[in-house]
Amino acid sequence: MALTQNRAVLDWIDKMAAMTQPDQIVWIDGSEAQLEDLRAQAVATGEIEKLNQEKLPGCYLHRTAVNDVARVEDRTFICCEKKEDAGPTNNWMDPKEMYAKLEGLYAGAMKGRTMYVIPYSMGVVGSPFAKYGIELTDSIYVVLNMAIMTRVGTAVAEKLDENFIKGLHAKADIDPEKRYIVHFPQDNTIMSVNSGYGGNVLLGKKCFALRIASCLGRDEGWMAEHMLILGIQNPAGEVRYLAAAFPSACGKTNLAMLIPPAHYREKGWKVWCVGDDIAWLRVGEDGRLWAMNPEYGFFGVAPGTNDKSNPNALASTQKGTIFTNVVHNLDDNTVWWEGLDKNPPENAVDWKGNPWNGKTSAEKGAHPNSRFTAPALNCPCISPEFESAQGVPISAIVFGGRRAKTAPLVYQSRDWEHGVFVGSIMASETTAAAAGAVGVVRRDPMAMLPFCGYHMADYWQHWLDMGKTLGGKAPKIFNVNWFRTDEEGRFIWPGFGDNLRVLEWIMKRCFDEAGAAETPIGFEPKAEDIDLEGSGIDRATLEGLLGVDKALWKEEVQGIREFYGKFGDKLPQGLAQELEALDKRLD
Ligand code: OXD
Ligand code: MN
């Protein structure tokens, strides 16, 4: 039975059903009884496998098709009216043409199947900042994941009005040649077809909460960002919040759940996770910037997660979690992945579904992009503010990337406009872990390159405009780099929990409690401003980590000039000026 009487919602569902022709339509009410029934159905068909319920209560395993294991940026489209509004970093097609193409792919795609109607909320239901959507899908796996990643069901359906975000997902034949992830910002519509991989089909996440929401933010005066949100509690008991953006493979989830070094814990420092991937940021009534995490779970990369790198993430996966494309340990019906421990199972099944012996197999057992979908409330350090309707006030915005030499451990931007410049030039160097040349600089402004739903240069202008609105109450903007290497290519900074040493300085700067030295690229701590006790790093090494190599930065300026060239006259004047000013300061 429909959970809403809203005509706009019901008419749209009728239209999508007429196109896809499901055998039946089932509304997801969010009840445990209904979810449990769906789990049983999916177990019966082999879509998911029930894991050892003593060791991993409520946990299941799923394997995607082998050709369907990651987001597909080359098949992701922003279909706004005019091509120039999508910008040079997005794929675009005329909306009419795309709708026509998609209609062909969706026609009859749900014949013999069930269409599930998932009313879901991004944000706390009833919060003035929450936004509501419906995802239609023919996949129980998607329903079960959405029920972890977002708030779903009757309470959301009651909030739906004609402004809901429309999402249609059909697995179809999982044909990669016919796979499309399409956004129609002017219609608040997302259409995904021929995939069953999370990032392409959990439409609340990248599609809605970043691509569509970035457009809504531009129009409504707020920001949707690819950022973690972290609360840092100092020994005085004050909790201060930061939001941070990093490209993938830079340890975002680890930073979001950081455990303070022993020396900090003894003094009373605590870290609280508000979010690990997405932040919606608005100007509050007090004029400050407030952030909320629109999600309800973590869709984390499994490989490399262990009780040293991220014990909080690991703990989050011990109940009510869906694992995708990891190793199935047949001895005790649990899961394993590379980097979990040094004891791979011998009697196991790999992510492709083939027999696998961790002691003898030359191939990896888990896919490098294998995932866990875990309830955020499982996280031992989840913030007491996680369910707060207004979110948390942000004191600092932190950008970062993976740079072997150029970027210092940390620097503070000169002001908001310079901070926007710092975000716009974010970059990472490719590592040996990925195919292709090592050490190639990839620009990923604000870590939003694959997620910005409109022209990147207009997005930068929006950032500059937000700074004008915030004025003196704007958060301070910083850049960090945990990845500087020595001559042998080894990381110098210990990273992980020790990153709190840098975050402490950042927070103190926001409250005028710490000093800084001016450099051509911004303000840096003096070596004595960072607490190194118990870090194994001495002052001289820290000074090295803070060094700014002018010759390298001159090359960087060249690289930025080239990158900015892509954006033509849309590039905000303010950013062009920041680049020239940096160039001069380096002389
Ligand atoms: C993610 C991503 O899955 O950024 O969060 O790709
Ligand atoms: Mn992400």
Side-chain angles (χ1 to χ4, degrees), residues 370-390:
S370 54
R371 299 275 175 154
F372 53 81
T373 315
L377 292 173
N378 280 358
C379 182
C381 65
I382 196 72
S383 165
E385 298 298 323
F386 176 68
E387 305 253 34
S388 126
Q390 77 273 18

Side-chain angles (χ1 to χ4, degrees), residues 258-259 261 409 482 491-501 537:
L258 169 159
I259 294 190
L409 180 62
W482 318 129
F491 296 125
I492 304 169
W493 180 250
F496 298 103
D498 288 294
N499 293 336
L500 182 58
R501 300 171 190 278
I537 296 284

Side-chain angles (χ1 to χ4, degrees), residues 414-427:
R414 301 162 67 86
D415 52 30
W416 180 273
E417 186 170 275
H418 180 232
V420 176
F421 169 75
V422 169
S424 78
I425 66 168
M426 257 174 70

Side-chain angles (χ1 to χ4, degrees), residues 247-251 400-404 427-431 480-483 491:
S248 57
C250 290
R402 181 185 280 271
R403 303 300 297 266
S428 257
E429 282 150 23
T430 48
T431 65
V480 298
N481 174 28
W482 318 129
F483 301 99
F491 296 125

